Amino acid sequence: RRSNIRVNIELLSISNPVHKKDLAVRLTDDTDPFFLYNLVVSEEDFQSLKSQQGLLVDFSAFPQKFIDLLQQCIQEQNKDIPRFLLQLVSSAPALDHTPVSLNVVETNPFKHLTHLSLKFLPGTDAEIKKFLANCLKCLKEDKMMLEEKLKKTEEDLTRQLSYTQQSLSEKSRELDKLKNEWTSYTTALNSKHSQELTSEKERALQAQTQYQQQHEQQKKELENLHQKSIQQLQNRLSELEVINKDLTERRYKGDSTVRELKAKLSGLEDECQRAKQEVLSLRRENTTLDAECHEKEKLINQLQTRVAVLEQEIKDKDQLVTRTKEVLDATQEQKVILEESTEEKQRHIEKLETTIKSLSAELLKANEIIKKLQGDLKTLMSKLKLKNTVTIQQEKLLAEKEEKLQKEQRESQEMGQSLRVKDQEVCKLQEQLESTIQKLEESKQLLKTNENVITWLNRQLSEVQMAKKLDSPASAHAGGRAAASPLGMV
């Protein structure tokens, strides 16, 4: 049979009548309170034991060597084939009332070597009663110590609970304040954005109506110019017809000279056809030039309107940039305040977690000790037929304290959740900050692109004006040519 046995080794000094030293060894079993074997070895007994077993150690060094052998047995007990064994052997079948020998055996492949063999006597009723009384006394002292520790821990836990509840209430109030401020801030921003949108829509509608009116006016002016040019051309045609009539009359008059001037006439007719073709080509060029002028004027008007729109957009974006800067400053201040509050709360939570961990470790140790005590008490009560009222009360107290611990752990978890929520809010604020910064950068890039577009438009306007200046003398030169051709015919 294999079991765990407690071995107590003590050195007893006796001064009556002669100063002596005895070695007392006691074997007990924690599971069986009636298991008790004693051995008292004096210096005289040790001399006989030394001569019998061939020991090489003195009486002063014997206890330490015996302890070393026991420790080697403890180290080897968990192995499948241990090298050192501690054997308790009795001659009788029952181990209760017969002397017993305790052997320290070393096993090797060849044989079992017994290093030491000690004979123990079973404990008498008086010794067993004294041993049980000492056990009860130790258990009661441990119980008193545990009760005092439990009371102290209860007081500390109640204080910590009250403090954590106060801090929780304060933090919840701070959270409510922050939520209210945030909702008011968002509503104000929404109202501002809606007002700005309505004002910008009204401005856009006004600009559209103005541009439509300008377009209609320009259209009317162009139509009037076109009609005037048509009337001028018709007048010139009538003049040319009159000149043609005069020429025909002169032709009839100069029939006599026709024969002589037939060759000249054929050349003149060719020149006349060429002139007509030139007139047609000049008319076509005039119409194309009018169309080009009309298109360029349209382009100029569009560019002017676009320049005005871009200037207004630049002004609006400047205002937006200033507003976003103000919002950024306010959000950064709020971020700093929130970071400070979160750091304080994290420190407080870390302190609470450390205290809770220490308390839980102490309570776990207390639970283990109490479980051991309960097992010992149950065995003692079953054999001594004592009532188990004390253990029941202790179990109830322990259950209550465990419930209190669970409540405190739940509260700490709730605190952790609230802190996580605050961390999430801080993350949202940081994301909003980043989005506003991105919008600022985008608006700056838009401003740069708008400035580039304005410079490009100014260049185009200057180029169009130069082209107009160049086109005006060219058109005048073409009109002179068209007028001079009939005179050349004459």
Side-chain angles (χ1 to χ4, degrees), residues 150-312:
L150 284 167
K151 281 179 184 177
K152 285 179 184 177
T153 51
E154 276 181 358
E155 289 173 358
D156 293 333
L157 286 167
T158 50
R159 283 174 194 166
Q160 286 174 2
L161 261 172
S162 62
Y163 180 70
T164 49
Q165 283 173 356
Q166 287 175 0
S167 61
L168 266 170
S169 62
E170 288 174 0
K171 283 165 188 172
S172 62
R173 285 171 192 165
E174 287 176 1
L175 264 172
D176 293 330
K177 284 180 184 177
L178 284 166
K179 283 178 182 175
N180 292 323
E181 287 174 0
W182 182 249
T183 51
S184 62
Y185 179 68
T186 50
T187 51
L189 275 173
N190 286 323
S191 63
K192 280 182 184 177
H193 284 303
S194 61
Q195 287 174 3
E196 287 173 358
L197 275 168
T198 51
S199 62
E200 283 178 358
K201 282 178 182 177
E202 288 174 357
R203 285 175 191 169
L205 286 166
Q206 288 175 0
Q208 192 178 1
T209 52
Q210 286 176 1
Y211 295 142
Q212 283 177 355
Q213 288 173 1
Q214 287 176 0
H215 182 69
E216 287 174 357
Q217 285 177 359
Q218 287 172 0
K219 190 179 177 184
K220 285 176 183 177
E221 287 173 358
L222 287 167
E223 284 176 354
N224 291 325
L225 285 167
H226 189 63
Q227 285 176 359
K228 284 178 184 178
S229 63
I230 288 163
Q231 284 176 0
Q232 286 175 0
L233 287 167
Q234 284 176 356
N235 291 324
R236 282 190 73 183
L237 267 169
S238 62
E239 288 175 359
L240 286 165
E241 284 174 355
V242 170
I243 291 161
N244 198 1
K245 282 178 184 179
D246 292 332
L247 285 167
T248 50
E249 286 174 359
R250 285 177 185 179
R251 184 183 161 197
Y252 287 124
K253 287 178 184 177
D255 280 330
S256 59
T257 58
V258 165
R259 290 173 186 174
E260 294 173 359
L261 299 168
K262 270 185 182 178
K264 291 180 180 179
L265 264 172
S266 60
L268 287 166
E269 283 173 358
D270 293 332
E271 285 178 1
C272 186
Q273 285 177 358
R274 286 173 187 169
K276 283 178 182 178
Q277 286 175 358
E278 282 179 358
V279 166
L280 289 167
S281 64
L282 286 167
R283 283 177 183 172
R284 286 170 188 167
E285 284 178 0
N286 197 1
T287 52
T288 53
L289 286 166
D290 288 333
E292 284 178 359
C293 183
H294 185 63
E295 286 176 357
K296 284 175 181 176
E297 283 176 353
K298 279 183 183 178
L299 233 171
I300 288 158
N301 291 322
Q302 286 176 359
L303 291 167
Q304 284 176 352
T305 53
R306 203 166 173 188
V307 165
V309 169
L310 287 166
E311 284 175 353
Q312 267 190 356

Side-chain angles (χ1 to χ4, degrees), residues 95-122:
L95 293 172
D96 289 338
H97 301 290
T98 55
V100 168
S101 59
L102 185 73
N103 300 325
V104 179
V105 181
E106 184 183 359
T107 59
N108 57 19
F110 186 66
K111 64 180 274 185
H112 294 281
L113 293 171
T114 55
H115 285 282
L116 187 66
S117 178
L118 299 172
K119 286 190 177 180
F120 286 83
L121 292 169

Side-chain angles (χ1 to χ4, degrees), residues 82 98 113 116 126 168 187 211 243 314 316 329 331 337 362 375 391 408 426 487:
T98 55
L113 293 171
L116 187 66
L168 266 170
T187 51
Y211 295 142
I243 291 161
I314 288 158
D316 295 334
D329 295 331
T331 48
I337 294 160
E362 286 178 1
T391 54
E408 285 174 358
V426 169
L487 293 169

Side-chain angles (χ1 to χ4, degrees), residues 401-413:
K401 281 163 188 176
E402 283 174 354
E403 286 176 357
K404 286 179 182 177
L405 263 173
Q406 286 175 0
K407 284 179 183 176
E408 285 174 358
Q409 286 173 356
R410 285 172 192 163
E411 287 173 356
S412 65
Q413 286 174 359

Side-chain angles (χ1 to χ4, degrees), residues 2 27 63 82 84 91 122 129 137 171 184 186 193 197 268 293 300 310 341 347 351 374 417 440 445 447:
R2 188 173 179 178
L27 298 177
F84 287 92
S91 58
K129 283 176 184 177
K137 188 180 177 183
K171 283 165 188 172
S184 62
T186 50
H193 284 303
L197 275 168
L268 287 166
C293 183
I300 288 158
L310 287 166
S341 63
R347 287 171 192 164
K351 286 178 183 177
Q374 283 174 356
Q417 285 178 359
L440 262 172
Q445 288 176 359
L447 280 167

Side-chain angles (χ1 to χ4, degrees), residues 1-8 26-37 74 77 88 131-132 134-136 138-139 142 368-369 371-383:
R1 187 165 67 88
R2 188 173 179 178
S3 64
N4 291 318
I5 291 169
R6 192 179 294 278
V7 181
N8 292 320
R26 186 173 64 197
L27 298 177
T28 56
D29 190 357
D30 292 336
T31 57
D32 188 3
F34 294 101
F35 183 88
L36 181 65
Y37 289 91
I74 289 163
Q77 68 180 347
L88 191 69
F131 170 67
L132 289 171
N134 286 323
C135 288
L136 270 171
C138 293
L139 285 168
D142 291 336
E368 288 175 358
I369 293 160
K371 282 175 184 175
K372 287 179 182 176
L373 289 168
Q374 283 174 356
D376 295 334
L377 280 166
K378 280 177 184 176
T379 53
L380 285 166
M381 293 296 177
S382 63
K383 287 181 181 176

